[in-house]
């Protein structure tokens, strides 16, 4: 049987406005989306920040300072609502589409697996199809995750060639979308890229993620507003980086001369216990006096150790992280102490 002819995207130059390039960011209200919006605005982009309609105020807390920027355009759309993404892409025809929107919590994905797949996999398909149909010159970035790895039998560190055997609905949803990106790149010639990012933190991390839960609890305990901190598995090892630096990597991946896949990691791994210990030590307290264990916080499946090998991005794009583990912990705690 004759091999199917590969379709290639029309060679159209990136559309630029007088003020610079245009970019759509899904997940702009999240940790990474907010830093990425700042980065792109700083470079003169017109940024279309995708927001979901929510019933309570406060979901724009990370981007409130951007809402009055004339180059920031707040748009309502939802990865679970195909027509809204389709119409947005058809209207804006952006130079770049950063897909950071996701049901991003691993443990919660065990409780809402179908929803996780719908947003994180079908949502990606929706965005890729919209680009293929309406704006094939648009470059696409997909936020892939180290949770796509995780089989305890596979030796660390993990790089772009490591077998991916996810251990959660979240990991499965991200792996499926990772393959969709490869398919749209290879089959349709789209500039479809992906970064496999290991955990990355900042003061803007969501409050139900373990690092932020710890930094916030430490600040509250120090100020006498809380007595105990309930945690699950303290032995899980993670490769923790700094979100603003990882967002810079995302940007560089998108500016590379060809669409490719890059692991983004620090190459250091630490247990959750070490994070807890460092956070309490920073405010002069002993963690053992405050931390209690609760079974309900364990995941049905755990990835015991995540450690990334970011050699490829360092050699190809020159990206490397600077912020060290202890400084990440301290900066998060200091922020929460100041902002309580
Ligand atoms: N942070 C990490 O360590 C890490 C590591 C690897 C990969 N990632 C991935 O990187 C991306 C950004 O991470 P993050 O830490 O910034 O996550 P985050 O703070 O949890 O933000 C997630 C964003 O996705 C939006 N979102 C959720 N469902 C959506 C939907 N149906 N349609 C449109 N938007 C939707 C959220 O909007 P609302 O504000 O309305 O909820 C929020 O803006 C995510 O895809 C995440 O899975 C993160």
């Amino acid at each position: 049987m004759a091999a199917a002819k590969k379709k290639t995207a029309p060679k159209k130059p990136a559309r630029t406005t007088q003020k610079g390039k245009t970019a759509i960011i899904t997940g702009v209200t999240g940790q990474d989306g907010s830093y990425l919006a700042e980065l792109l605005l700083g470079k003169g982009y017109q940024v279309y920040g995708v927001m979901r309609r929510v019933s309570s105020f406060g979901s724009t807390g990370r981007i409130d300072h951007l809402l009055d920027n004339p180059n920031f355009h707040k748009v309502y759309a939802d990865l679970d609502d195909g027509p809204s993404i389709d119409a947005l892409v058809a209207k804006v025809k952006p130079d770049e589409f950063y897909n950071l929107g996701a049901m991003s919590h691993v443990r919660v994905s065990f409780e809402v697996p179908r929803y996780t797949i719908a947003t994180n996999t079908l949502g990606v398909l929706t965005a890729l199809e919209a680009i293929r149909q309406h704006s094939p010159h648009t470059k696409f970035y997909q936020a892939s995750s180290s949770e796509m790895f995780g089989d305890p039998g596979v030796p660390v560190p993990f790089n772009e060639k490591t077998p991916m055997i996810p251990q959660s609905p979240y990991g499965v949803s991200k792996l499926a979308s990772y393959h969709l990106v490869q398919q749209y790149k290879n089959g349709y010639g789209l500039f479809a890229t992906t970064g496999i990012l290991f955990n990355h933190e900042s003061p803007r991390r969501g409050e139900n993620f373990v690092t932020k839960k710890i930094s916030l609890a430490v600040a509250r305990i120090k100020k006498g507003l809380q007595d105990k901190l309930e945690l699950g598995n303290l032995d899980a090892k993670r490769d923790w980086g700094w979100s603003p630096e990882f967002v810079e990597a995302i940007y560089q991946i998108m500016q590379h001369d060809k669409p490719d896949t890059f692991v983004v990691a620090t190459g250091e791994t630490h247990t959750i216990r070490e994070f807890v210990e460092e956070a309490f030590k920073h405010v002069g307290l002993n963690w053992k006096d405050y931390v209690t264990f609760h079974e309900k916080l364990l995941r049905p499946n755990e990835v015991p150790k995540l450690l990334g090998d970011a050699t490829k991005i360092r050699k190809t794009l020159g990206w490397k992280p600077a912020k060290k583990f202890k400084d990440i912990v301290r900066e998060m705690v200091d922020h929460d102490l100041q902002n309580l």
Side-chain angles (χ1 to χ4, degrees):
M1 207 171 83
K5 206 174 162 211
K6 222 188 220 183
K7 289 184 194 157
T8 46
K11 287 211 168 41
K12 189 172 164 189
R15 195 173 73 94
T16 47
T17 67
Q18 260 193 326
K19 287 185 180 165
K21 292 185 186 171
T22 51
I24 290 176
I25 304 176
T26 67
V28 75
T29 54
Q31 171 186 252
D32 294 359
S34 62
Y35 286 121
L36 181 64
E38 286 170 8
L39 182 79
L40 296 184
L41 288 168
K43 291 180 185 294
Y45 278 64
Q46 297 289 316
V47 173
Y48 291 78
V50 174
M51 294 181 32
R52 302 191 290 173
R53 194 266 159 188
V54 288
S55 63
S56 57
F57 289 111
S59 73
T60 58
R62 298 182 181 101
I63 55 162
D64 279 343
H65 60 295
L66 304 178
L67 295 178
D68 289 335
N69 186 319
N71 294 341
F72 183 84
H73 311 278
K74 183 175 89 174
V75 286
Y76 284 100
D78 193 313
L79 288 162
D80 295 321
D81 174 32
S84 67
I85 298 292
D86 197 67
L88 179 64
V89 171
K91 182 176 157 208
V92 177
K93 293 188 171 53
D95 296 298
E96 298 171 3
F97 186 122
Y98 294 87
N99 189 45
L100 309 185
M103 203 312 284
S104 62
H105 200 283
V106 179
R107 190 173 51 76
V108 173
S109 77
F110 288 96
E111 290 170 36
V112 289
R114 191 183 183 287
Y115 174 69
T116 304
I117 299 283
T119 305
N120 298 4
T121 308
L122 294 180
V124 177
L125 182 60
T126 297
L128 287 166
E129 260 306 295
I131 289 171
R132 184 172 82 88
Q133 299 283 352
H134 305 296
S135 185
H137 76 282
T138 296
K139 292 181 179 182
F140 180 80
Y141 172 86
Q142 168 57 17
S144 293
S145 162
S146 54
E147 292 284 336
M148 302 189 313
F149 302 113
D151 184 340
V154 178
V156 294
F158 301 145
N159 66 26
E160 296 79 4
K161 294 200 163 68
T162 303
M164 298 183 196
I165 308 170
Q167 305 294 309
S168 62
Y170 172 80
V172 171
S173 73
K174 288 284 184 179
L175 182 55
S177 55
Y178 166 83
H179 285 301
L180 285 170
V181 170
Q182 308 310 316
Q183 200 246 311
Y184 273 69
K185 176 177 78 171
N186 298 331
Y188 299 121
L190 293 190
F191 192 105
T193 67
T194 178
I196 304 177
L197 272 57
F198 283 61
N199 294 57
H200 46 280
E201 316 299 317
S202 76
R204 297 187 193 171
R205 190 59 145 148
E207 290 182 16
N208 56 353
F209 288 86
V210 71
T211 50
K212 181 70 176 178
K213 190 175 163 185
I214 294 166
S215 66
L216 204 51
V218 166
R220 290 178 63 84
I221 288 170
K222 182 69 183 172
K223 294 205 167 186
L225 302 169
Q226 185 174 328
D227 300 325
K228 294 283 171 205
L229 167 60
E230 248 183 15
L231 292 173
N233 180 10
L234 295 183
D235 295 321
K237 289 187 160 178
R238 293 292 178 262
D239 180 331
W240 275 301
W242 185 239
S243 174
E245 290 180 351
F246 277 42
V247 161
E248 177 62 41
I250 291 174
Y251 178 72
Q252 288 184 20
I253 290 170
M254 199 67 133
Q255 309 314 311
H256 188 35
D257 53 16
K258 59 174 192 199
D260 207 346
T261 298
F262 293 93
V263 158
V264 181
T266 70
E268 261 187 43
T269 192
H270 298 272
T271 58
I272 294 175
R273 181 178 290 99
E274 284 175 79
F275 196 108
V276 172
E277 204 171 342
E278 187 58 39
F280 276 94
K281 200 168 94 189
H282 185 52
V283 297
L285 299 174
N286 183 347
W287 70 278
K288 290 183 181 154
D289 297 333
Y290 302 97
V291 174
T292 58
F293 166 78
H294 204 299
E295 209 173 312
K296 73 172 186 233
L297 297 170
L298 295 178
R299 298 174 185 173
N301 268 352
E302 180 61 279
V303 177
K305 184 172 182 179
L306 283 172
L307 177 63
D309 171 5
T311 306
K312 180 177 169 184
I313 191 167
R314 192 180 67 246
K315 288 197 169 160
T316 316
L317 304 179
W319 178 88
K320 58 176 198 269
K323 185 88 86 181
K324 302 308 276 179
F325 170 73
K326 286 186 178 178
D327 295 325
I328 293 172
V329 180
R330 291 172 191 161
E331 209 161 307
M332 288 178 73
V333 171
D334 285 342
H335 172 91
D336 290 337
L337 275 171
Q338 277 158 26
N339 286 278
L340 268 181

